[in-house]
Amino acid sequence: MALLQDWRDVAYSQETDKKQLQKFWSDYFLTEKGIYEQLLANPDEAVSGTVKELAEKYEIPLMKMVGFLDGINDSLKKPNPIEEMTEDTVVSLDFDNELLYKNMVDARADWLYELPAWNKIFDAKKKRELYLEAKKMNTVVKGKKVGRNDPCPCGSGKKYKYCCGR
């Protein structure tokens, strides 16, 4: 069975006590923060290895490494095959700096996008620009409402009420 499913069964369990689940996530977030601090210290280095090797490198349990890989996968230059991942699967942590920052903002992970290491990668202006871009990503902008007597947006030349407004 794939490791990712095992991780999701534990992390998103409906049967687990809320306090236990809350403790599980707070422990995970501390671990995640520690790994990101190490990765951001040298952002141009493409870290790779098997899932098991990376868990040993960062001194964390295998399942937490799987959770980390699940979280960072959308920010990688080339996504890892996390769905069918085993402990011997070779994975890469070669992330796109801007995409990672925006995904952290989108996830509302202020403990990650406010890490001091980002100051060495981006200046304040660039961080603000990326922050605003990330906030706009999920904003739905409605277009101008077509009035009954306006020309139909389909391009027929008829009034909307006689064309698509019926």
Side-chain angles (χ1 to χ4, degrees):
M1 185 171 186
L3 290 173
L4 183 63
Q5 191 57 49
D6 293 344
W7 161 257
R8 289 181 176 167
D9 289 346
V10 171
Y12 304 109
S13 172
Q14 298 297 319
E15 289 84 43
T16 308
D17 178 52
K18 281 190 175 186
K19 285 190 178 191
Q20 285 180 317
L21 206 54
Q22 194 172 16
K23 181 178 180 348
F24 170 84
W25 279 108
S26 58
D27 289 346
Y28 171 76
F29 291 144
L30 281 173
T31 303
E32 180 184 42
K33 183 179 178 183
I35 295 172
Y36 277 119
E37 285 171 338
Q38 292 177 52
L39 287 173
L40 294 173
N42 194 355
D44 299 325
E45 179 188 343
V47 177
S48 65
T50 66
V51 178
K52 189 176 183 178
E53 290 170 350
L54 291 177
E56 289 168 1
K57 176 181 178 171
Y58 293 109
E59 300 174 355
I60 61 171
L62 186 68
M63 275 297 119
K64 279 191 181 178
M65 190 69 221
V66 172
F68 182 81
L69 290 168
D70 185 23
I72 197 173
N73 207 45
D74 291 338
S75 304
L76 299 176
K77 293 176 182 173
K78 182 178 176 251
N80 291 314
I82 61 170
E83 293 296 332
E84 55 274 344
M85 183 169 57
T86 65
E87 63 182 44
D88 296 323
T89 304
V90 176
V91 292
S92 171
L93 298 179
D94 188 18
F95 57 90
D96 178 303
N97 294 342
E98 291 186 8
L99 186 57
L100 179 63
Y101 188 84
K102 288 193 279 189
N103 285 341
M104 287 175 172
V105 171
D106 189 41
R108 296 184 178 105
D110 56 340
W111 63 94
L112 297 177
Y113 68 80
E114 291 178 354
L115 285 171
W118 284 113
N119 296 332
K120 294 177 183 151
I121 300 168
F122 302 124
D123 60 10
K125 183 180 176 188
K126 182 68 174 179
K127 284 189 344 189
R128 182 74 182 147
E129 180 184 312
L130 292 171
Y131 181 87
L132 293 174
E133 261 181 63
K135 289 296 185 183
K136 286 181 187 175
M137 282 193 314
N138 293 325
T139 303
V140 177
V141 180
K142 289 187 176 181
K144 182 180 172 271
K145 185 176 178 186
V146 180
R148 293 171 27 91
N149 292 314
D150 292 342
C152 191
C154 76
S156 66
K158 297 180 183 177
K159 287 185 175 183
Y160 178 69
K161 67 181 175 185
Y162 294 123
C163 190
C164 295
R166 290 186 163 194

